Amino acid sequence: MSANRLREGEGALRRDRTLSFTFDGKRYTGHPGDTLASALLASGVRLVGRSFKYHRPRGILTVGSEEPNALVELRTGARREPNTRATGVELFDGLEARSQNRWPSLRFDLGAINSLFSALLVAGFYYKTFMWPAAFWEKVYEPAIRRAAGLGRASLEPDPDGYEKAHAFCDLLVVGGGPAGLAAALTAGRAGARVILCDEDFLLGGRLNGDRHEIDGEDGALWARQTAEELAALPEVRIMTRTTVFGAYDGNTFGALERVADHLPMPAAHQVRQRFWKIVARRTVLAAGALERPIVFGGNDCPGVMLASAVRTYVNRFRVTPGRRTAVFTSCDDGWKTAFDLVDSNVEVPVLVDARREVPAELEGQASRRGLRVVLGAQILDAHGSKGVRGIDVRDDRGRTSRIATDALAVAGGWNPNTALSAHLGGRPRWSDTLAAHVPADLPPGMIAVGAAAGELSLAGALRTGAAAGRQAASAAGFEAAADSPPRVADEAAGGTPLWFVQGFRGKAFIDFQHDVTTKDVAIAAREGFHCPELLKRYTTLGMGTDQGKTSALNAHAIVAALTGRSPADLGAIAARPPYTPVAIGALAGAHRGPHFRPCRLTPSHRWAESRGATFVDLGEWRRAKAFPLSGETDWKRTLTREVRSVRDGVGVCDVSTLGKIDVQGADAGTFLDRVYANMISSLPVGKTRYGIMLREDGMVFDDGTVARLSPSHFLLSTTSAHAVKVLQHLEHARQVLWPDLDVQLASVTEQWAQFAVAGPRSRALLERLLEGVADVSNAGFPYLACAELQWQGRPARLFRISFSGELAYELAVPARRGEAALHAIMGTGEDLGVVPYGMEALGTMRIEKGHVAGAELNGTTTAHDLGLGRMMSARKDYIGRVLAGRPGLSAPDRPALIGVKPSRPDARLTAGAHFLRLGAPPSLENDEGFISSATFSPTLGHWIGLGFLRGGQRRIGERVRAHDPLSSGDVEVEIASPIFYDPEGNRLRA
Amino acid sequence: MRTEPTDITCPALTSLPTAVGNGRGVIATEREGLGIARIAARKGQSARMAELFRARFGLEPPNAPRRASRGDVAIAGIGPQTWLATCEHAGNTFAQSLGPVLADCAAVCDQSDACLILRLTGPRVRASLAKLIPVDMHPRSFRAGDLAQTVCGYINITLWRLEDTVQSDPVFEVWAGRSLALSLQQAISHAAAEFGFVRQSSTGPADAGRRTG
Amino acid sequence: MRYSIFSLLRQALAGHRGWELAWRDAEPKPGYDVIIVGGGGHGLSTAHYLAKVHGITDVAVLEKGCIGLGNAGRNTTIIRSNYLLAGNNPFYELSMKLWEGLEQDLNYNTMVSQRGVLNLYHSDSQRDSYVRRGNAMRLHGVDAELLNAGDVRRMLPALDFDNARFPIQGGLLQARGGTARHDAVVWGYARAASGRGVDIVQNCEVTGFIREGGRVVGVRTSRGDIRARKIGMAVAGHTSSVARMAGLRLPIESHVLQAFVSEAIKPLVPCVVTYGAGHFYVSQSDKGGLVFGGNIDGYNSYAQRGNLPTVEDVCESGMALMPAIGRVRILRSWGGIMDMSMDGSPIIDRTPIEGLYLNGGWCYGGFKATPASGYCFAHLLAREEPHEVARAFRLDRFATGRLLDEKGQGPQPNLH
Amino acid sequence: MRIECPLCGERDVSEFSYLGDADFRLPSADTDGLADRFYEAVYLRDNPSGPHRELWYHAGGCLCWLRVTRNTRTHEILGVELATEAPRA
């Protein structure tokens, strides 16, 4: 039997089973129903961690998610979880936990030496020193501070567990499964409403499990269990335990984290570790309860000093006492319950100290019936003990101080309603003088606060307000709840007078336990003018720990208020921000990680390309064949050269299905396209294709592509692969917002068609065979820029005489399902013509040889003039971008314009990103004349070539300049050339 | 070399396992051979379009995100004066035949090859889709015949619900762009894995899911 | 009182009872030479340099609440000068140089940490544009270094190099970039300016402008009218609202940018890292928290909070980049209101209204600019001409087309 | 944030993409001082703290452009209409 486990009573444990776990390598045992914290307490472990700054010994303060002290590293290896609250960890067999932020060991921590300098390490000390000598900060001080940073250690390995997201919708979301929440869910659930009830605990009931209550004459915990069973049986009610609603967002949307497998050694196959829920709720009931606050006195951080309600829960639910002798220090009625429960569980209570001079007679009666020693109007000044409480100094109402031996101390400073979720949308809680705490005010639309969260501290109040809110939510969703009479409960004393801090203590009095913020730090901050809550927080780091000040913020405000002669009400509440409790980054990412981070779009020929041993490249969402190396081609240059030469001398085929295809129809289609393209489209004859550019409203070039006219009222646009979606959005904007009166219909047909470029002098020969009897592809019958709709192999098909490579070329489009088949047909038909597949590398190289602009040139900051396309801007019509393109800054003659470059030394390599400098000009921004946007080795010309933008543009053809690239490959002298390196007259593509 | 392979929506799908996890919580089957036409009425011509469509197929084009079907033909509203019409086994010929009929009052685009269409059923299909789709699929909120255009992860999809099966399992059909077929199936099988995901070869006609008698 | 280890020792012995107010909490006078509207980093640094560089000390900084609680206290503390355009690069480099001497200048430790800023690239085209940017930096003498995947792996072993949707190919490193303690920057400037006689007036909200003839001669505030020869606006986030009081419409939209901090963990991320295939940047604070963020929510907002889609996008990108942080927990998230200008670059200029000067449009680049922004705004206020490194930040550039569009997104603020 | 699409019903904001000021109006080609009018239309967009009429595109749904009235201080949605049907006042 472990040290502090009470002998009798089950509580919420299953004593018939024993679980074993280790803490700092030492083996302990507990039972199902234990948390790591309760099991450690049961085993007599009081020292569980060290504080952040002074490395002070720390124990367990609370029983819930507000715990500031008891943080451990849970699990090992890739599953190591730093800063895990022992109070929230459900015990499982084989659990491994380690203490943090101590070296070499928890009991003997060298970091504790900081305590010796505590006089120096006060609020703001960083900012006042480490400044001289200047060099030391970077090299000595700062690295040292960073080494000292942090509490637990994250794993360096990828998280092996899975996560997922889920969406839920309900009439009523109940946050918190205590008496108020259960009453709300039950009322609405019975009425037939869709209810979701979330509680971060693995056991519903809240304080009903921690306190001793009677509801309708039976044990409160039992009532909770029975209510949970009834709820579970209701078809439209979903109970989510181990689930924290961590944030409220706009549109009645809530974020919740379900800990699916954290109570298991590891998730089962196909089971996630955690699930991130996005819950949309018509109504929300905030039944998150209240958090008890500590009292600030000397040595109040000593292990063994705990919140009174926590002690009560450990005793009643977990059958554990924090110490064989446990004193109580309170300023409210609630604290007395702890003393009573301890005594009734045969734990010695050396003294109950109540700061109030007068208390309800009923309490005194119960105390004397139990023979409890009570001191009224007294205060505890200091707690003593190095690694655990051994004694307390009590000053009575006559100022006499006496030391009383005890090995634990339960502290009850009153209750703070848990208002967090009510304030996530910017609402600020209101100060209540009766409670001496903030209560929810100005709540998000549709949210109702009930029970302790609303300041209703009595059980009767919780049940009453909960049921009422449940009824209200049900009727809002169209369900009428039966007017059940509320369960019978005894009314209880819940009064108190706040005692924020005692005076005349000797030791350090802590406000924020985790960050070691003491009364002295707060005093300094106030003295230096940092007394507004936000500044106080930032200057002292108060409330910035993993507990986000749940147990410290209000005490700090009360102390500052006292120091500056104000009331805590004047300071207001610190803005609450999501998440309510820390949420794993992995959970919020869900399944979108690794290769599944974003979807991957595959071309119709993907499998075929794989079978041909292609290499692939990711271009945005698309994955495209980069090249088709033959066995033995180890060097990318050899493959590139072969693919380009094969196209230039023979014929090649390339999957260009990724280009956006937009179908435009309607009587006004021509007019519409004239307005969105800079060049004239309406004059395009049926059966013809035209190159077009679109400008943004600000006059910059947006996208380029071809426009084919299939009938007087039917056009087919092609866009760049990258802009396909943006262009459709742009056109829909023009159609729906700018010119809703035009008769135009738009549809994306990108996915419908597989499209293959068949390019090279022998492409005609290939297509003559392939389309025999289907289309006349002769130069006369199907000249450059012709287009036609065909019926091929019993399917619709489309043929275009367009060329990106600069060769005689066609593009054949077939229904996407037919893509692979068509490719096989092309390859089969062209076998003896030497047809080869070519990839993005060759495509990109040939477009640079031909001087076609692409993404690197269409970078959103280039005008049509910059790109050498100025002549395309029609003067005969109005179109998007026309007016602003005329701004002086966009038409200035000194703007860098498109040119070609080739190295003066034929063997020299060019890099995109190099900047142009005049020969001999020193490198400086003033001398920067432009840059290389695209560069490639040209197999056709046998040397590197590039496109770029240069001040003066093509006026400078023939001039030699320096391509300055200190970053990667150094400087190269280049000659300015026409951007069209290959067949400038365009004879080949017209052949 | 095989020169005449049959039509394939997404060749890469063949690389996927046909079952993930244990059980048959979600059963997916790819719908094939469907003729799909996107119909957008010309300005002020939607009434005329509806009239012609009714005359030809005896079906009223819904002016809401709903789907109506009769025999092999179905039509669903996907936007203002815009519909998606389908016809069993018709392939590309459906849109081709529809084009001339509606020519003067609507733009018709063949979409028969543009999408992967998965029919999803099984006892846990709702729980699985809830992990992927931000739309309320509670039977009271999303009824048989309802349609939603929404996102699944980062994939645009169209989703509609058919009549439940004889085992009263819900039946949905999910549409996504062909190029995204692999990613979509991975997402669905991943979401359904804990309940057991099974992929079957293609189904019969559209309403095979409907209760008989 | 001068701050040093000695003053700290003296106070320690005196029980820290002798500390004085970090800055005077001034009562507003009826008039000043210069009024700066906005007690954030930019307003306070402007006041500091007006006093220090130009000897103008009859200055008031008006703040509607407590100083430094706007974007100065809500950013991810990154400092860098890795800019492409000639109109931006020298300005941010001046800022970097001022950062490098700030502790001594202010006698306040702003904890400037030059741990390096690394922008990762994942494609050839991305590499090309980084090479172009890095070379532009070098042309101005700014440090820049191109890393390959191997170099990055040595620096940051915890990144995903083997299983990523968009594999890391390398990165552009500015070793002099890094972080600074944002609150300390505010307090340091406030203390230094106050020490030189500047009035810092808190809880003083500007409710309107006093006009005489064509010009602005003062402000109406929650604490009465205050007159001044010149009035400078440094209220990024709310520039539109304040400018509207003077009847000005500006090429600025207000957008919300969320930021996040994790629980404190032992050192994991040694430098500032930016993911190139999604929206995610991260550094680790001296307290141990991972400080990270991503893209703006994308809609106009004056609420200092955002919504889940951005939270998810940021976390997905973070996991795609660094799958080891899966079990690290987000501790807190918040939102700041960004002055998103129409080309993604700031404005430091006169306004069409005599006596009224504008400093705004910082998008989400404001923190790193704090020193130079104040330096150049002070120069404009004192000398009536733009500082040479801020010449491009003109208000009329949108009308003239001399834009400063680093990303090439055009007049769409939520894309910058 | 959730936007009630007149066609698709209430959807999460993640399905929509944002353009901004819905009262953005293209000056007709014959206006004088056209360049200035365009500069104002494109660059000087309304940016109020409070109710704001703005354009959203249902990119993850029906591809409709919507005119949404939204409070930029509270994110409350006050009204939604199809861009094609909204009065272009």
Side-chain angles (χ1 to χ4, degrees), chain C residues 41 67 94-95 110 116 132 146 161 171-172 176 191 200 236 244 252 300 323:
Chain C
I67 61 167
L94 169 65
S95 212
T110 50
R132 180 188 171 200
L146 192 71
F161 291 90
L172 178 66
R176 283 165 63 237
R191 186 165 169 281
I200 294 167
R244 196 178 293 107
I252 288 173
N300 290 29

Side-chain angles (χ1 to χ4, degrees), chain B residues 25-60:
Chain B
V26 174
I27 300 136
T29 43
E30 185 183 344
R31 303 271 287 106
E32 281 167 9
L34 214 57
I36 306 168
R38 185 182 184 278
I39 303 169
R42 308 249 187 247
K43 196 136 223 64
Q45 294 292 306
S46 45
R48 173 107 183 90
M49 178 273 157
E51 186 185 320
L52 289 172
F53 195 91
R54 204 184 308 113
R56 169 105 175 208
F57 301 108
L59 262 177
E60 184 64 39

Side-chain angles (χ1 to χ4, degrees), chain A residues 191-210:
Chain A
R194 290 169 66 187
V195 177
I196 296 178
L197 169 63
C198 297
D199 195 298
E200 60 183 356
D201 201 338
F202 54 92
L203 181 68
L204 288 179
R207 292 297 317 158
L208 291 177
N209 299 313

Side-chain angles (χ1 to χ4, degrees), chain B residues 116-139:
Chain B
L116 166 82
I117 307 169
L118 283 181
R119 174 173 297 167
L120 301 172
T121 185
R124 308 308 305 276
V125 64
R126 276 201 185 87
S128 304
L129 287 178
K131 298 179 184 180
L132 300 169
I133 296 170
V135 171
D136 185 2
M137 267 165 304
H138 188 279

Side-chain angles (χ1 to χ4, degrees), chain D residues 1-4 68-71 75-80:
Chain D
M1 203 148 71
R2 293 175 67 78
I3 296 173
E4 175 99 38
V68 177
T69 311
R70 189 179 59 95
N71 185 322
H75 295 168
E76 183 191 5
I77 308 279
L78 305 164
V80 185

Side-chain angles (χ1 to χ4, degrees), chain A residues 98 127 141 147 216 225 273 279 333 351 358 396 443 469 521 527 601 627 696 859 880 935 980 988:
Chain A
R98 299 171 81 255
Y127 312 130
Y141 306 138
R147 262 195 306 283
D216 284 336
R225 203 142 50 247
R273 175 189 166 222
I279 304 174
D333 303 345
V351 64
E358 273 149 32
D396 65 23
L443 285 82
D521 295 306
R527 199 167 289 129
R601 299 182 73 178
R696 284 191 318 231
N859 61 15
I880 291 177
I980 308 173
R988 298 184 68 88

Side-chain angles (χ1 to χ4, degrees), chain A residues 509-580:
Chain A
F510 286 84
I511 305 168
D512 182 317
F513 293 100
Q514 192 177 112
H515 275 178
D516 285 337
V517 180
T518 64
T519 48
K520 180 189 278 175
D521 295 306
V522 170
I524 292 173
R527 199 167 289 129
E528 294 188 294
F530 297 90
H531 38 59
C532 107
E534 275 292 341
L535 291 182
L536 175 72
K537 171 184 167 183
R538 289 155 185 268
Y539 196 61
T540 61
T541 75
L542 179 136
M544 287 182 157
T546 61
D547 58 324
Q548 287 287 286
K550 291 184 176 67
T551 54
S552 58
L554 188 53
N555 284 348
H557 291 185
I559 290 166
V560 171
L563 288 167
T564 55
R566 294 178 291 174
S567 134
D570 305 334
L571 281 84
I574 289 263
R577 305 229 175 240
Y580 170 62

Side-chain angles (χ1 to χ4, degrees), chain A residues 190 325 784:
Chain A
R190 280 174 174 167
R325 295 154 52 87
Y784 179 55

